[in-house]
Amino acid sequence: MRMMKSGFCIALSLGGIGSPAADVPMALDRASLWVGGFYPTVDASVSANGDDLSGSNVDFRHDLGLYKHHTLSNLRLDFLVFDNQGFTFGGYRYSRGAARTLDRDIVFDGDTYHSDAYVHAQLSLQTYYATWHWWFEAGERDVVGIGLGAAYYDLRGVIYGYIDVAVAGASIPSAHTAGRGEAEGTAVAPLLTLGWKHAFSERWRGYADFSGVRKPSGAFTGHLLNGRVGLEYFPWRTVGAAVEYDSTDLDVKADKQSWTGTARIRFRGPSAFVRLRC
């Protein structure tokens, strides 16, 4: 750990970032690295509508069991370029697959259908961001900040399955069909952030951060909202730990030539980090 911390600080110093040219506010660090994991519950649903698709919907959480916890690697880098301005980089990747046999009734156009279906789905989301922050002292132990930047997100989904459908009470035989659907979209959108940091002491600090992305036009539209609150503890001057609670809401819409798809994904849960700082 000591070698990792030393290498981190040396690399920043060679880049002209980590030099202690002037004091920074008590609630900030000249540079810091966050290495940890995000352990969220996931609530995800995907639907598609078009000329050949009418009201089709797959709830990844309830139908396919993707609500189960899944640890995501989480990495973040903060550094100041001036005494109260600097960059933040971060992001994570979620990927999960599931398969399930479904047995339920579907009501459509006045008729009740009984369906037996096997569905396999794969859902992946990558999101990365970079922001420039301005921090303003709001007292001896507090800073508040605003940030502008950009976020990149890449959403991909694949669904494969087959289904036997019969009209309830009808004598007609059931229909059997199989198919595969695949959708993907990427976007870069402007990002706005608001933050607050408080130093309870040299060892204990708290923070809150809220950010939002909106892409209002194009074939791939939607918004991404994120909020976090956390607590940091430094038993040593340059090495410590942090725990936080994160909430991320993603709503996107993809307009293609023959269909329109929507995806709603919610991540909520705790994160834990090892903290290195200079």
Side-chain angles (χ1 to χ4, degrees):
M1 178 64 71
R2 180 177 297 179
M3 293 180 62
M4 183 178 178
K5 182 268 295 181
S6 300
F8 169 64
C9 294
I10 290 171
L12 293 179
S13 297
L14 291 176
I17 297 171
S19 57
D23 292 334
V24 299
M26 186 177 179
L28 296 178
D29 299 315
R30 175 64 63 182
S32 62
L33 178 66
W34 308 60
V35 181
F38 181 28
Y39 191 61
T41 56
V42 180
D43 189 349
S45 63
V46 176
S47 65
N49 291 277
D51 294 337
D52 299 322
L53 299 169
S54 183
S56 60
N57 179 275
V58 174
D59 188 320
F60 280 67
R61 181 176 187 267
H62 297 291
D63 290 343
L64 297 174
L66 292 190
Y67 58 85
K68 298 178 180 178
H69 285 284
H70 186 56
T71 303
L72 313 179
S73 298
N74 208 342
L75 185 67
R76 198 180 306 159
L77 174 65
D78 300 301
F79 58 85
L80 297 180
V81 177
F82 305 107
D83 292 338
N84 62 347
Q85 299 180 46
F87 284 101
T88 297
F89 299 95
Y92 58 83
R93 182 179 185 274
Y94 172 84
S95 181
R96 192 74 185 271
R100 182 160 296 184
T101 299
L102 308 179
D103 183 2
R104 65 185 184 188
D105 290 336
I106 300 172
V107 178
F108 180 71
D109 198 22
D111 293 320
T112 300
Y113 297 84
H114 182 74
S115 64
D116 294 296
Y118 172 81
V119 178
H120 175 82
Q122 181 74 33
L123 179 67
S124 67
L125 170 67
Q126 298 181 71
T127 176
Y128 304 100
Y129 60 86
T131 57
W132 175 272
H133 283 280
W134 290 264
W135 294 102
F136 304 94
E137 292 189 69
E140 182 180 355
R141 296 175 179 267
D142 292 271
V143 295
V144 294
I146 59 174
L148 294 174
Y152 167 83
Y153 49 99
D154 183 332
L155 178 66
R156 301 172 186 270
V158 177
I159 299 174
Y160 168 78
Y162 64 82
I163 184 171
D164 290 306
V165 180
V167 180
S171 59
I172 61 174
S174 62
H176 174 84
T177 184
R180 173 187 173 90
E182 185 170 356
E184 63 181 81
T186 62
V188 177
L191 177 69
L192 174 66
T193 69
L194 299 173
W196 164 81
K197 297 178 184 287
H198 174 75
F200 299 101
S201 66
E202 290 288 343
R203 293 191 176 189
W204 290 93
R205 297 194 302 201
Y207 59 92
D209 184 83
F210 303 94
S211 60
V213 173
R214 180 168 177 80
K215 188 174 185 298
S217 61
F220 191 60
T221 60
H223 68 261
L224 175 66
L225 301 176
N226 176 260
R228 64 171 72 100
V229 293
L231 185 67
E232 301 173 58
Y233 173 62
F234 287 89
W236 302 280
R237 172 66 186 86
T238 56
V239 180
V243 292
E244 67 182 34
Y245 186 86
D246 289 83
S247 176
T248 298
D249 292 350
L250 174 68
D251 282 88
V252 296
K253 180 180 179 180
D255 289 313
K256 304 294 184 180
Q257 291 183 347
S258 59
W259 58 272
T260 297
T262 61
R264 296 178 178 88
I265 304 173
R266 308 285 185 267
F267 294 93
R268 289 181 172 84
S271 296
F273 300 90
V274 173
R275 295 273 281 105
L276 306 177
R277 66 177 183 176
C278 296

